[in-house]
Amino acid sequence: MKKLQGIAVSPGVAIGEALVLDMEGFRIPRRFVARDTVEYELERLEQAIESACAEIARNRDAVTGELGDKYGAIFEAHLQILQGSQLRDELEELIRERHYSPEYAVSRVMRRYAEVFQKVQNRNVGDLADIEKRLLRQLLGRRREELAELTSPVLVLAHNLTPSETANLDRKFVRGFVTEVGGPGSHTAIVAAALEIPAVVGTGPFMTEVSGGDLVIIDGDKGWVILHPDEETIARYRHEAEQLRSMAARLGELRDLPAVTADGVRIELMGNIEFPYEVDHCVERGADGIGLYRTEFLYLGTDREPDEEDHFQAYSRVVRTMAGKPVTIRTFDLGADKVPNLPSPEDERNPALGQRSIRLSLRNVPMFRKQLRAVLRASALGNVRVMFPLVSTLLELRQAKMILADVMEDLEERQIPFRRDVPVGIMVEVPAVVMMIEHFVEEVDFLSIGTNDLIQYTLAVDRSNKDMVWLYNASDPAVLKLIDKTVQAAKRRSLPVNLCGQMSGNPLYTMLLLGLGLRQLSVPPSAIPEIKRLCRSVTMRDCESVARHALTLENARDVTSYLRRELNKQRSEFTA
Amino acid sequence: MDQAKTTRTVVVTNRAGLHLRAALQIFQLVREFSVEIELVVDRQRAKATDMLQIVALGASQGTEVTLEAAGPEADAALDALASLFAAGFHEEDS
């Protein structure tokens, strides 16, 4: 048994067979074979060599016929290497004596020769790589294609996963991810959270210690990956997984019940999504809408800038599925480095404070207009709201609204349908906006408090800096006061105000947020049932008293421990 | 090889050394004779019929290679092989 510690990026427990991908995205099969299958494996190798030889002979004849003997010679050489006794003897010995799988034996032997070739002659070793690939293709055959068409559940283990690799995996059967590298913002983390399967990243090297088909446990809560687990560990995790399942089933019963407090106050509980298919997770849990639809995935993992149609296809799927419930589309919220074809900024020593998000959209109007056109077209299909991220000043907001109005005019001229009264809002995530909130509420239709960035900018702490992460805390009284001020200003104007960000999905803060006056919360789809249960078990009177007291406390630690006490009180009453 | 061996020493003259294409020519030539031949560089041996072994000798330009032949056509085969080495495996750039 071996336990690896990584970074937990998506919670839950998964037990299952490993699917291991090597650096080039090739599937690494089982490295060793059982003693009693050795003869079968040797037969498989023999067949692979024969097929590879036949393939090479065909190539040789074709090339010789077309270009002459001299060019066909290299294929003749490949053929002779494969038929030579040296290679076969070595492969057979590894399979027979060491019980290597034929695939593993082939790559070991060929790579060893490649090293020798390179060392002694410093020559191109392409010939050997070519032969190796040919043999592996024969051996893996259909099994390699099955990467896209898995037939049983697997846990995917890889050095790193690129967007195209995750896109090619059959989502139905992927039960967890582990990558050697990567952090909380990595692509694997985002995809795993969206798929709601456990994932651990940044474990450091493990590829030499695991083969395809090994039993592996992923603990996405603690950030552990357990290779070759013992019986006791397996039993313990099976039990835990079973408990999680039955709890999820109990919470599932809440699906058709509204999020309403015990004393009758209706809360709109909405989902945060990144990928269009996540809208199904929201519907399954009875979400009241999409409070935050991040559109960044359209720009990631592609080498061209998405066109209007790419945007429109994604948005319309979400808007149609939500069938009249609100869908809040947030415009582009990335740095320039993430967009193909945009020049990389020269002076970006501090990206969190640099050219990103709405600032970038306002400097690249054609890109921005493309997205806005798609959002507006989607508005004809349902209840769309458009939201600008990282606004810092009123001028930025006005500029963005002017471009939106301009795009509207353009659509009107072309008689393309859209909703002229599409609600326009901003993310409240820069403290400057809160200081000026009385002005902002005059010019928007709704507000959405983005706590992840608001905390970062309020406390001047980089949330991805592991040495400073202790300072990054949603319980900080300064953060609470900014939320309070924003909600109060919105209330005076009867503006809807939503809160998205990790804070809203954490039950610890639910009573506090309701007590501060929030009536909309937008949370990861997986958190909807738990937050809903909590909303249904509290009274607004209790929530308001919690908020009043929390606002009097002077540091984050006191706030957290107070909220924890109140939450435990609630839970014990609920289960009593 | 049990029979009496005929040996001859040749030198690799082509610039690229004993790479895959050269090995192929050796293999194809030896196949035409009734003979078994081994190439020896320092103490490393390679069968003339196994190209992987030949290339793994790592013989670069100027290396001395001892050819050990056994069989009815040993002499003829060695003559032919020696000319092949001398001709630098017919490489234009040798």
Side-chain angles (χ1 to χ4, degrees):
Chain A
M1 190 163 95
K2 169 150 189 169
K3 193 160 82 184
L4 305 164
Q5 176 75 58
I7 304 163
V9 291
S10 184
V13 165
I15 307 172
E17 227 178 74
L19 174 88
V20 189
L21 298 180
D22 76 2
M23 296 270 204
E24 286 111 44
F26 269 87
R27 184 174 180 172
I28 299 182
R30 200 178 279 282
R31 283 167 197 273
F32 299 99
V33 298
R35 189 182 303 272
D36 54 4
T37 62
V38 162
E39 291 305 324
Y40 164 76
E41 299 294 346
L42 285 171
E43 177 60 26
R44 217 156 62 76
L45 174 70
E46 196 53 42
Q47 276 174 12
I49 292 178
E50 259 175 50
S51 312
C53 286
E55 201 178 281
I56 295 172
R58 277 197 302 279
N59 286 348
R60 176 198 59 196
D61 295 345
V63 171
T64 306
E66 241 170 79
L67 303 167
D69 276 345
K70 202 173 156 209
Y71 293 91
I74 199 66
F75 291 103
E76 180 65 21
H78 289 187
L79 196 56
Q80 294 311 330
I81 284 183
L82 270 180
Q83 288 174 339
S85 55
Q86 175 79 13
L87 181 66
R88 281 175 193 232
D89 290 351
E90 281 187 50
L91 291 174
E92 190 175 329
E93 191 191 322
L94 288 178
I95 296 169
R96 203 181 281 288
E97 306 300 326
R98 300 222 216 159
H99 298 169
Y100 280 13
S101 70
E103 291 89 349
Y104 189 37
V106 164
S107 60
R108 280 298 291 268
V109 169
M110 296 310 282
R111 281 180 198 186
R112 191 165 55 76
Y113 274 108
E115 265 167 43
V116 175
F117 276 35
Q118 195 149 37
K119 200 155 56 199
V120 296
Q121 287 184 297
N122 199 20
R123 288 188 69 85
N124 136 27
V125 292
D127 287 311
L128 288 179
D130 197 43
I131 296 171
E132 179 189 346
K133 285 238 163 71
R134 219 184 265 280
L135 269 181
L136 286 179
R137 216 164 34 232
Q138 293 295 339
L139 283 167
L140 294 170
R142 273 185 47 70
R143 277 199 275 172
R144 222 186 93 217
E145 291 160 24
E146 279 167 19
L147 208 58
E149 332 162 352
L150 299 166
T151 52
S152 60
V154 291
L155 312 185
V156 177
L157 279 68
H159 174 67
N160 198 6
L161 286 165
T162 65
S164 67
E165 277 159 1
T166 48
N168 284 327
L169 290 165
D170 189 336
R171 290 200 301 266
K172 253 198 336 273
F173 293 113
V174 176
R175 295 284 190 271
F177 288 119
V178 183
T179 56
E180 292 183 332
V181 299
S186 65
H187 183 75
T188 308
I190 292 167
V191 171
L195 292 173
E196 303 183 356
I197 57 178
V200 175
V201 302
T203 58
F206 60 71
M207 296 291 257
T208 52
E209 299 175 66
V210 61
S211 353
D214 285 359
L215 190 73
V216 171
I217 296 174
I218 303 176
D219 183 334
D221 298 310
K222 300 197 183 75
W224 290 345
V225 180
I226 302 167
L227 307 178
H228 318 296
D230 57 31
E231 288 302 321
E232 191 197 321
T233 310
I234 296 171
R236 198 173 66 238
Y237 273 102
R238 286 234 160 93
H239 181 67
E240 196 171 312
E242 189 46 51
Q243 277 185 321
L244 286 172
R245 257 196 301 280
S246 72
M247 199 166 83
R250 274 209 310 277
L251 289 172
E253 294 162 7
L254 290 170
R255 175 192 155 148
D256 297 319
L257 297 173
V260 54
T261 62
D263 49 355
V265 179
R266 179 73 162 88
I267 308 299
E268 274 181 80
L269 201 48
M270 302 192 277
N272 295 339
I273 66 168
E274 170 113 24
F275 301 99
Y277 59 80
E278 286 180 276
V279 73
D280 301 331
H281 300 162
C282 294
V283 172
E284 277 160 27
R285 290 169 178 120
D288 293 312
I290 304 296
L292 171 62
Y293 178 10
R294 306 180 181 95
T295 56
E296 286 72 59
F297 86 98
L298 287 160
Y299 297 86
L300 300 173
T302 159
D303 47 12
R304 66 175 180 93
E305 197 195 308
D307 60 22
E308 184 183 323
E309 213 47 39
D310 296 331
H311 284 286
F312 179 70
Q313 289 306 329
Y315 304 160
S316 56
R317 155 123 160 68
V318 173
V319 173
R320 284 209 179 92
T321 309
M322 288 313 288
K325 289 182 177 165
V327 174
T328 315
I329 303 177
R330 179 178 72 184
T331 63
F332 180 80
D333 191 26
L334 284 174
D337 56 322
K338 297 292 194 313
V339 188
N341 305 330
L342 277 194
S344 278
E346 284 164 27
D347 212 10
E348 203 76 308
R349 267 166 306 211
N350 217 333
L353 304 179
Q355 235 192 91
R356 49 174 287 223
S357 198
I358 192 72
R359 303 167 183 183
L360 199 61
S361 294
L362 294 175
R363 293 186 63 151
N364 293 277
V365 177
M367 181 185 91
F368 193 33
R369 287 177 60 103
K370 219 179 281 177
Q371 180 168 34
L372 291 177
R373 279 175 66 101
V375 173
L376 286 172
R377 281 171 59 197
S379 74
L381 308 172
N383 185 356
V384 169
R385 313 195 302 169
V386 56
M387 178 160 76
F388 302 127
L390 203 74
V391 170
S392 322
T393 68
L394 282 161
L395 280 182
E396 281 175 324
L397 169 63
R398 288 175 192 158
Q399 240 183 308
K401 283 175 73 174
M402 242 160 63
I403 295 171
L404 183 69
D406 199 41
V407 174
M408 283 182 172
E409 241 170 67
D410 191 41
L411 289 176
E412 223 154 48
E413 261 170 44
R414 292 162 201 255
Q415 298 186 313
I416 297 171
F418 68 96
R419 266 186 55 188
R420 193 160 244 299
D421 59 348
V422 60
V424 178
I426 57 166
M427 295 279 290
V428 177
E429 46 192 347
V430 179
V433 169
V434 183
M435 299 312 291
M436 298 292 287
I437 198 72
E438 277 79 14
H439 297 272
F440 278 97
V441 292
E442 301 293 328
E443 305 192 21
V444 295
D445 301 310
F446 66 92
L447 298 173
S448 187
I449 305 173
T451 48
N452 294 3
D453 272 338
L454 186 62
I455 297 166
Q456 159 162 297
Y457 294 130
T458 302
L459 297 167
V461 58
D462 177 354
R463 62 181 149 130
S464 59
N465 181 337
K466 67 179 193 313
D467 297 321
M468 287 314 299
V469 77
W470 58 271
L471 188 56
Y472 179 91
N473 196 330
S475 291
D476 197 281
V479 175
L480 304 189
K481 285 197 163 49
L482 291 171
I483 296 173
D484 184 44
K485 182 168 161 56
T486 306
V487 175
Q488 292 310 317
K491 253 196 176 152
R492 280 195 290 277
R493 292 278 307 169
S494 305
L495 272 194
V497 54
N498 180 20
L499 189 136
C500 52
Q502 272 148 4
M503 187 180 186
S504 61
N506 186 343
L508 186 67
Y509 298 108
T510 307
M511 290 185 79
L512 168 70
L513 295 176
L514 300 186
L516 286 172
L518 281 151
R519 296 295 176 265
Q520 294 181 338
L521 295 176
S522 193
V523 306
S526 58
I528 290 175
E530 195 182 0
I531 301 294
K532 188 190 273 188
R533 185 182 68 178
L534 195 54
C535 286
R536 292 175 60 83
S537 71
V538 300
T539 64
M540 199 47 79
R541 224 190 39 190
D542 288 345
C543 292
E544 279 166 1
S545 116
V546 165
R548 258 196 313 276
H549 183 70
L551 283 174
T552 65
L553 299 173
E554 58 183 24
N555 65 59
R557 203 190 49 211
D558 293 349
V559 172
T560 300
S561 52
Y562 170 65
L563 293 179
R564 196 167 286 142
R565 276 201 308 278
E566 290 298 316
L567 180 63
N568 287 338
K569 236 195 277 176
Q570 272 304 324
R571 280 186 169 151
S572 56
E573 279 167 27
F574 180 71
T575 48
Chain B
M1 276 174 268
D2 306 318
Q3 305 114 299
K5 278 188 230 169
T6 314
T7 66
R8 195 169 308 181
T9 301
V10 293
V11 175
V12 178
T13 58
N14 63 317
R15 188 177 303 163
L18 280 191
H19 57 86
L20 207 51
R21 283 168 200 269
L24 179 67
Q25 290 182 46
I26 295 173
F27 164 80
Q28 285 171 330
L29 186 141
V30 170
R31 198 166 48 172
E32 290 167 20
F33 294 90
S34 171
V35 70
E36 276 186 45
I37 293 189
E38 285 191 330
L39 289 76
V40 187
V41 173
D42 294 331
R43 284 206 202 99
Q44 204 180 333
R45 313 180 74 86
K47 287 200 187 79
T49 47
D50 199 310
M51 299 197 315
L52 210 51
Q53 291 184 357
I54 298 177
V55 179
L57 288 174
S60 50
Q61 190 175 28
T63 306
E64 279 194 359
V65 180
T66 307
L67 306 173
E68 297 185 0
E73 297 184 293
D75 282 323
L78 286 178
D79 286 346
L81 261 185
S83 333
L84 187 61
F85 271 85
F89 301 97
H90 310 293
E91 280 179 12
E92 282 98 5
D93 62 353
S94 57

Short mmCIF file of all heavy atoms in Angstrom, two decimals, chain A residues 178-215:
data_model
loop_
_atom_site.label_atom_id
_atom_site.label_comp_id
_atom_site.label_asym_id
_atom_site.label_seq_id
_atom_site.Cartn_x
_atom_site.Cartn_y
_atom_site.Cartn_z
N VAL A 178 -6.59 11.77 -11.09
CA VAL A 178 -5.38 12.08 -10.34
C VAL A 178 -4.33 12.57 -11.34
O VAL A 178 -4.15 11.93 -12.37
CB VAL A 178 -4.80 10.85 -9.62
CG1 VAL A 178 -3.59 11.24 -8.79
CG2 VAL A 178 -5.84 10.18 -8.73
N THR A 179 -3.68 13.69 -11.06
CA THR A 179 -2.58 14.11 -11.91
C THR A 179 -1.36 14.40 -11.06
O THR A 179 -1.48 14.84 -9.91
CB THR A 179 -2.91 15.36 -12.76
OG1 THR A 179 -3.31 16.41 -11.89
CG2 THR A 179 -4.03 15.08 -13.74
N GLU A 180 -0.20 14.13 -11.65
CA GLU A 180 1.06 14.34 -10.92
C GLU A 180 1.30 15.82 -10.67
O GLU A 180 1.85 16.21 -9.67
CB GLU A 180 2.23 13.76 -11.73
CG GLU A 180 2.21 12.25 -11.83
CD GLU A 180 3.42 11.70 -12.59
OE1 GLU A 180 3.96 12.42 -13.46
OE2 GLU A 180 3.81 10.56 -12.31
N VAL A 181 0.93 16.65 -11.63
CA VAL A 181 1.15 18.09 -11.49
C VAL A 181 -0.19 18.81 -11.42
O VAL A 181 -1.24 18.19 -11.45
CB VAL A 181 1.98 18.64 -12.68
CG1 VAL A 181 3.33 17.98 -12.72
CG2 VAL A 181 1.24 18.41 -13.98
N GLY A 182 -0.14 20.13 -11.33
CA GLY A 182 -1.37 20.91 -11.36
C GLY A 182 -1.74 21.43 -9.98
O GLY A 182 -1.29 20.92 -8.97
N GLY A 183 -2.55 22.46 -9.98
CA GLY A 183 -3.00 23.08 -8.74
C GLY A 183 -4.49 23.27 -8.76
O GLY A 183 -5.17 22.75 -9.64
N PRO A 184 -5.01 24.04 -7.77
CA PRO A 184 -6.46 24.22 -7.65
C PRO A 184 -7.10 24.82 -8.90
O PRO A 184 -8.26 24.55 -9.18
CB PRO A 184 -6.60 25.17 -6.47
CG PRO A 184 -5.34 25.02 -5.70
CD PRO A 184 -4.27 24.70 -6.70
N GLY A 185 -6.37 25.61 -9.69
CA GLY A 185 -6.99 26.22 -10.86
C GLY A 185 -6.77 25.42 -12.13
O GLY A 185 -7.14 25.88 -13.20
N SER A 186 -6.15 24.25 -12.01
CA SER A 186 -5.80 23.51 -13.23
C SER A 186 -7.05 22.99 -13.93
O SER A 186 -8.12 22.88 -13.35
CB SER A 186 -4.88 22.33 -12.89
OG SER A 186 -5.55 21.40 -12.09
N HIS A 187 -6.86 22.67 -15.19
CA HIS A 187 -7.98 22.22 -16.00
C HIS A 187 -8.65 20.99 -15.40
O HIS A 187 -9.86 20.88 -15.35
CB HIS A 187 -7.49 21.92 -17.41
CG HIS A 187 -8.58 21.51 -18.32
ND1 HIS A 187 -9.49 22.40 -18.84
CD2 HIS A 187 -8.95 20.29 -18.76
CE1 HIS A 187 -10.36 21.75 -19.57
NE2 HIS A 187 -10.06 20.47 -19.55
N THR A 188 -7.82 20.05 -14.91
CA THR A 188 -8.35 18.83 -14.30
C THR A 188 -9.27 19.17 -13.13
O THR A 188 -10.33 18.58 -12.97
CB THR A 188 -7.19 17.96 -13.80
OG1 THR A 188 -6.27 17.78 -14.86
CG2 THR A 188 -7.69 16.61 -13.33
N ALA A 189 -8.84 20.13 -12.33
CA ALA A 189 -9.63 20.52 -11.16
C ALA A 189 -10.99 21.07 -11.59
O ALA A 189 -12.03 20.70 -11.01
CB ALA A 189 -8.87 21.57 -10.34
N ILE A 190 -10.98 21.89 -12.61
CA ILE A 190 -12.23 22.51 -13.07
C ILE A 190 -13.17 21.44 -13.62
O ILE A 190 -14.36 21.40 -13.29
CB ILE A 190 -11.92 23.56 -14.16
CG1 ILE A 190 -11.17 24.74 -13.53
CG2 ILE A 190 -13.19 24.04 -14.83
CD1 ILE A 190 -10.56 25.68 -14.54
N VAL A 191 -12.62 20.56 -14.45
CA VAL A 191 -13.46 19.52 -15.06
C VAL A 191 -14.01 18.57 -14.00
O VAL A 191 -15.18 18.20 -14.03
CB VAL A 191 -12.66 18.74 -16.14
CG1 VAL A 191 -13.45 17.55 -16.62
CG2 VAL A 191 -12.34 19.66 -17.30
N ALA A 192 -13.16 18.18 -13.05
CA ALA A 192 -13.60 17.24 -12.03
C ALA A 192 -14.73 17.85 -11.19
O ALA A 192 -15.73 17.18 -10.90
CB ALA A 192 -12.43 16.85 -11.13
N ALA A 193 -14.57 19.12 -10.83
CA ALA A 193 -15.60 19.77 -10.03
C ALA A 193 -16.90 19.83 -10.82
O ALA A 193 -17.99 19.60 -10.29
CB ALA A 193 -15.16 21.17 -9.61
N ALA A 194 -16.78 20.10 -12.12
CA ALA A 194 -17.97 20.18 -12.97
C ALA A 194 -18.64 18.82 -13.09
O ALA A 194 -19.86 18.71 -13.11
CB ALA A 194 -17.60 20.72 -14.35
N LEU A 195 -17.84 17.77 -13.19
CA LEU A 195 -18.40 16.43 -13.30
C LEU A 195 -18.84 15.89 -11.95
O LEU A 195 -19.45 14.83 -11.86
CB LEU A 195 -17.37 15.46 -13.90
CG LEU A 195 -16.99 15.67 -15.37
CD1 LEU A 195 -15.85 14.75 -15.76
CD2 LEU A 195 -18.19 15.41 -16.26
N GLU A 196 -18.45 16.61 -10.88
CA GLU A 196 -18.76 16.19 -9.52
C GLU A 196 -18.17 14.83 -9.19
O GLU A 196 -18.83 13.96 -8.63
CB GLU A 196 -20.27 16.20 -9.28
CG GLU A 196 -20.87 17.56 -9.57
CD GLU A 196 -22.36 17.64 -9.29
OE1 GLU A 196 -22.95 16.61 -8.95
OE2 GLU A 196 -22.91 18.74 -9.42
N ILE A 197 -16.92 14.63 -9.61
CA ILE A 197 -16.23 13.41 -9.23
C ILE A 197 -14.96 13.79 -8.48
O ILE A 197 -14.41 14.86 -8.69
CB ILE A 197 -15.87 12.54 -10.46
CG1 ILE A 197 -15.01 13.33 -11.44
CG2 ILE A 197 -17.13 12.03 -11.14
CD1 ILE A 197 -14.60 12.52 -12.65
N PRO A 198 -14.51 12.92 -7.57
CA PRO A 198 -13.34 13.27 -6.77
C PRO A 198 -12.08 13.43 -7.61
O PRO A 198 -11.92 12.74 -8.62
CB PRO A 198 -13.18 12.09 -5.80
CG PRO A 198 -14.10 11.04 -6.27
CD PRO A 198 -15.10 11.64 -7.19
N ALA A 199 -11.24 14.36 -7.21
CA ALA A 199 -9.99 14.56 -7.94
C ALA A 199 -8.91 15.06 -6.99
O ALA A 199 -9.17 15.82 -6.07
CB ALA A 199 -10.18 15.58 -9.07
N VAL A 200 -7.68 14.59 -7.23
CA VAL A 200 -6.51 15.03 -6.49
C VAL A 200 -5.45 15.39 -7.53
O VAL A 200 -5.22 14.64 -8.47
CB VAL A 200 -5.99 13.90 -5.57
CG1 VAL A 200 -4.70 14.33 -4.88
CG2 VAL A 200 -7.04 13.52 -4.53
N VAL A 201 -4.84 16.57 -7.38
CA VAL A 201 -3.79 16.98 -8.32
C VAL A 201 -2.51 17.27 -7.56
O VAL A 201 -2.51 17.35 -6.33
CB VAL A 201 -4.22 18.24 -9.13
CG1 VAL A 201 -5.50 17.97 -9.89
CG2 VAL A 201 -4.39 19.45 -8.22
N GLY A 202 -1.42 17.40 -8.31
CA GLY A 202 -0.15 17.78 -7.70
C GLY A 202 0.39 16.76 -6.71
O GLY A 202 0.95 17.12 -5.67
N THR A 203 0.27 15.47 -7.02
CA THR A 203 0.74 14.44 -6.10
C THR A 203 2.23 14.21 -6.21
O THR A 203 2.81 13.53 -5.38
CB THR A 203 0.08 13.09 -6.43
OG1 THR A 203 0.41 12.77 -7.79
CG2 THR A 203 -1.41 13.14 -6.24
N GLY A 204 2.87 14.74 -7.27
CA GLY A 204 4.25 14.36 -7.55
C GLY A 204 4.24 13.03 -8.30
O GLY A 204 3.19 12.45 -8.51
N PRO A 205 5.45 12.57 -8.72
CA PRO A 205 5.52 11.41 -9.62
C PRO A 205 4.98 10.13 -9.00
O PRO A 205 5.28 9.82 -7.85
CB PRO A 205 7.02 11.26 -9.90
CG PRO A 205 7.67 12.46 -9.36
CD PRO A 205 6.75 13.12 -8.39
N PHE A 206 4.17 9.39 -9.76
CA PHE A 206 3.70 8.08 -9.31
C PHE A 206 3.63 7.08 -10.46
O PHE A 206 3.35 5.91 -10.27
CB PHE A 206 2.33 8.18 -8.65
CG PHE A 206 1.26 8.74 -9.56
CD1 PHE A 206 0.76 8.00 -10.62
CD2 PHE A 206 0.75 10.02 -9.35
CE1 PHE A 206 -0.22 8.52 -11.46
CE2 PHE A 206 -0.23 10.55 -10.19
CZ PHE A 206 -0.71 9.78 -11.24
N MET A 207 3.89 7.59 -11.69
CA MET A 207 3.63 6.78 -12.87
C MET A 207 4.39 5.46 -12.89
O MET A 207 3.94 4.50 -13.50
CB MET A 207 3.97 7.57 -14.13
CG MET A 207 3.11 8.79 -14.30
SD MET A 207 1.42 8.35 -14.69
CE MET A 207 1.46 8.70 -16.39
N THR A 208 5.54 5.41 -12.25
CA THR A 208 6.31 4.17 -12.30
C THR A 208 5.77 3.14 -11.32
O THR A 208 6.21 2.00 -11.29
CB THR A 208 7.79 4.43 -11.94
OG1 THR A 208 7.81 5.15 -10.71
CG2 THR A 208 8.47 5.25 -13.01
N GLU A 209 4.82 3.55 -10.49
CA GLU A 209 4.38 2.64 -9.44
C GLU A 209 2.99 2.08 -9.67
O GLU A 209 2.46 1.37 -8.82
CB GLU A 209 4.40 3.37 -8.10
CG GLU A 209 5.78 3.83 -7.74
CD GLU A 209 5.79 4.66 -6.48
OE1 GLU A 209 5.48 4.08 -5.43
OE2 GLU A 209 6.07 5.86 -6.56
N VAL A 210 2.39 2.42 -10.77
CA VAL A 210 1.03 1.96 -10.99
C VAL A 210 0.84 1.52 -12.44
O VAL A 210 1.44 2.10 -13.34
CB VAL A 210 0.02 3.08 -10.60
CG1 VAL A 210 0.21 4.31 -11.45
CG2 VAL A 210 -1.41 2.60 -10.68
N SER A 211 0.10 0.46 -12.64
CA SER A 211 -0.22 0.06 -14.02
C SER A 211 -1.72 0.12 -14.22
O SER A 211 -2.50 0.14 -13.28
CB SER A 211 0.23 -1.36 -14.34
OG SER A 211 0.96 -1.96 -13.36
N GLY A 212 -2.09 0.10 -15.48
CA GLY A 212 -3.49 0.08 -15.82
C GLY A 212 -4.15 -1.14 -15.19
O GLY A 212 -3.58 -2.21 -15.19
N GLY A 213 -5.35 -0.95 -14.66
CA GLY A 213 -6.06 -2.08 -14.08
C GLY A 213 -5.83 -2.27 -12.59
O GLY A 213 -6.56 -3.00 -11.93
N ASP A 214 -4.81 -1.61 -12.02
CA ASP A 214 -4.60 -1.70 -10.57
C ASP A 214 -5.78 -1.07 -9.83
O ASP A 214 -6.40 -0.13 -10.31
CB ASP A 214 -3.34 -0.90 -10.16
CG ASP A 214 -2.06 -1.63 -10.53
OD1 ASP A 214 -2.17 -2.74 -11.07
OD2 ASP A 214 -0.98 -1.08 -10.29
N LEU A 215 -6.02 -1.57 -8.63
CA LEU A 215 -7.06 -0.95 -7.80
C LEU A 215 -6.49 0.29 -7.11
O LEU A 215 -5.40 0.23 -6.53
CB LEU A 215 -7.57 -1.94 -6.76
CG LEU A 215 -8.82 -1.46 -6.02
CD1 LEU A 215 -10.03 -1.52 -6.93
CD2 LEU A 215 -9.06 -2.28 -4.77
#
